[in-house]
Amino acid sequence: MVQKVKLNNGVEMPMEGFGVFQVTDLSVCEQAVIDAIRSGYRLIDTASSYQNEEAVGRAIAKSGVPREELFITTKAYIQQMGYENTMKAFEESLNNLGLDYLDLYLIHMPYGDYYGTWRAMEELYKAGKIRAIGVSNFLPDRLIDLCYNAEVIPQINQIERHPHYQREEELKIMQEFGVQPEAWAPFAEGLKGMFTEPILAEIAKKHGKTPAQVILRWNIQNGVIIIPKSVHKERMEENLAIWDFELDVEDMARIATLDKGCPSMLDTLKPSEVKRVYDYLRNPVLTSL
């Protein structure tokens, strides 16, 4: 049974969900979300920039699961920043998804007029159109600045977080401000030998699990929400089968030694990365966002 965590506004959110980043074939995306929901996932994470909100919406409608049992997240991208732009983007996403409200709406990137966006999101939140609001890819300086200037403190910061990039100091800052961390790409898409790490293999063997399951369980035990992605039903079920075991102190200490202290996928401090995410607006081929 997937556990839930209570956000800083009292809303309960599943600790494990299903992500649809890079699922660009809309029929595949629709079927994957249907399979995920029927496998037991209740948190579904998409974004306007993924260009698959409509497929997610069709899957939600066909799933047979009552809307109130689902926790649906989407995000506003850079070109949707600013008060007016975000108000429009929110309605577009809501229409794409075929929903009356969102459970979570995120600022996708810490660029552009995200303060104007935050004012819009606060207004939508107070109007009851969004149950929780948050950010994604915000480093501590920008997160702290937003927290000090916002009327509503973000409920979520969705970040790249996996054994090669553990971000322990950042997690402490989020805890200080009451912001719940959520890990996108918890496997780092298998980059830099993630799935061949001997330590993960040894721990997995010890518990009769897979390295992927160990990675997910490690995040959960660190208090981090996870949204793994797969279009294969058997892998969805494998990723969900992490609630019947627990890593011990030694396991957690060994995994801590895998930290490389740098991102595998997205470095928002590198000028080349900033240019890359802006280039996405001109040539929207889905790369790591």
Side-chain angles (χ1 to χ4, degrees):
M1 181 88 174
V2 175
Q3 295 175 1
K4 294 184 177 181
V5 62
K6 188 173 288 188
L7 305 180
N8 64 28
N9 64 349
V11 168
E12 291 190 335
M13 180 174 177
M15 285 288 288
E16 183 174 11
F18 183 74
V20 295
F21 174 53
Q22 291 180 323
V23 187
T24 55
D25 184 311
L26 299 186
S27 61
V28 171
C29 180
E30 181 179 333
Q31 187 59 52
V33 174
I34 290 172
D35 289 343
I37 293 173
R38 291 178 179 171
S39 296
Y41 292 88
R42 293 296 178 264
L43 163 59
I44 307 297
D45 181 280
T46 185
S48 63
S49 63
Y50 300 170
Q51 301 174 31
N52 57 19
E53 287 176 325
E54 290 183 348
V56 171
R58 288 194 296 271
I60 291 169
K62 293 178 180 178
S63 70
V65 173
R67 169 67 182 95
E68 62 272 16
E69 293 183 18
L70 299 173
F71 195 100
I72 308 302
T73 303
T74 193
K75 314 173 191 77
Y77 201 57
I78 301 169
Q79 80 279 17
Q80 298 168 324
M81 294 297 98
Y83 179 89
E84 294 295 340
N85 287 340
T86 299
M87 283 296 194
K88 181 181 178 182
F90 171 78
E91 291 299 333
E92 288 175 350
S93 287
L94 210 59
N95 288 335
N96 287 340
L97 290 162
L99 302 178
D100 297 322
Y101 68 94
L102 284 178
D103 297 282
L104 178 63
Y105 198 38
L106 301 178
I107 293 175
H108 204 154
M109 287 283 185
Y111 304 128
D113 180 19
Y114 60 80
Y115 270 95
T117 287
W118 194 254
R119 289 194 299 273
M121 288 167 63
E122 287 179 329
E123 188 173 312
L124 292 164
Y125 170 73
K126 292 174 185 177
K129 294 184 177 181
I130 312 171
R131 297 178 66 220
I133 55 178
V135 297
S136 180
N137 301 307
F138 272 53
L139 294 176
D141 60 329
R142 299 210 178 196
L143 180 64
I144 292 171
D145 184 61
L146 180 60
C147 287
Y148 277 133
N149 288 283
E151 190 174 336
V152 178
I153 300 296
Q155 275 87 50
I156 292 285
N157 186 15
Q158 190 181 109
I159 58 172
E160 177 185 348
R161 206 261 177 175
H162 44 74
H164 288 164
Y165 191 32
Q166 300 188 18
R167 312 177 79 163
E168 292 300 324
E169 290 304 313
E170 293 183 50
L171 295 186
K172 291 177 184 177
I173 291 170
M174 288 184 225
Q175 184 177 32
E176 177 186 348
F177 283 88
V179 179
Q180 170 65 44
E182 180 179 15
W184 61 262
F187 306 132
E189 297 185 351
L191 297 175
K192 300 182 180 178
M194 177 69 73
F195 290 127
T196 57
E197 287 283 2
I199 286 175
L200 295 177
E202 290 166 12
I203 294 173
K205 184 177 180 180
K206 169 182 171 181
H207 292 280
K209 295 290 182 178
T210 66
Q213 289 171 321
V214 168
I215 291 168
L216 295 176
R217 185 67 202 182
W218 165 79
N219 258 314
I220 290 296
Q221 289 184 214
N222 276 286
V224 180
I225 295 169
I226 47 174
I227 45 171
K229 177 206 77 178
S230 178
V231 297
H232 304 291
K233 195 168 188 292
E234 62 274 13
R235 184 61 57 83
M236 295 177 196
E237 293 170 350
E238 176 188 318
N239 290 341
L240 207 55
I242 62 168
W243 298 96
D244 59 351
F245 80 108
E246 188 168 337
L247 301 173
D248 59 32
V249 173
E250 180 185 0
D251 297 332
M252 298 294 279
R254 295 186 72 195
I255 295 172
T257 68
L258 299 177
D259 191 8
K260 299 179 185 295
C262 62
S264 298
M265 302 183 66
L266 175 67
D267 188 345
T268 58
L269 289 178
K270 287 179 64 176
S272 61
E273 287 288 271
V274 178
K275 290 178 180 178
R276 182 176 67 82
V277 296
Y278 272 98
D279 284 344
Y280 169 83
L281 299 178
R282 304 183 189 92
N283 183 27
V285 176
L286 286 179
T287 54
S288 296
L289 299 177

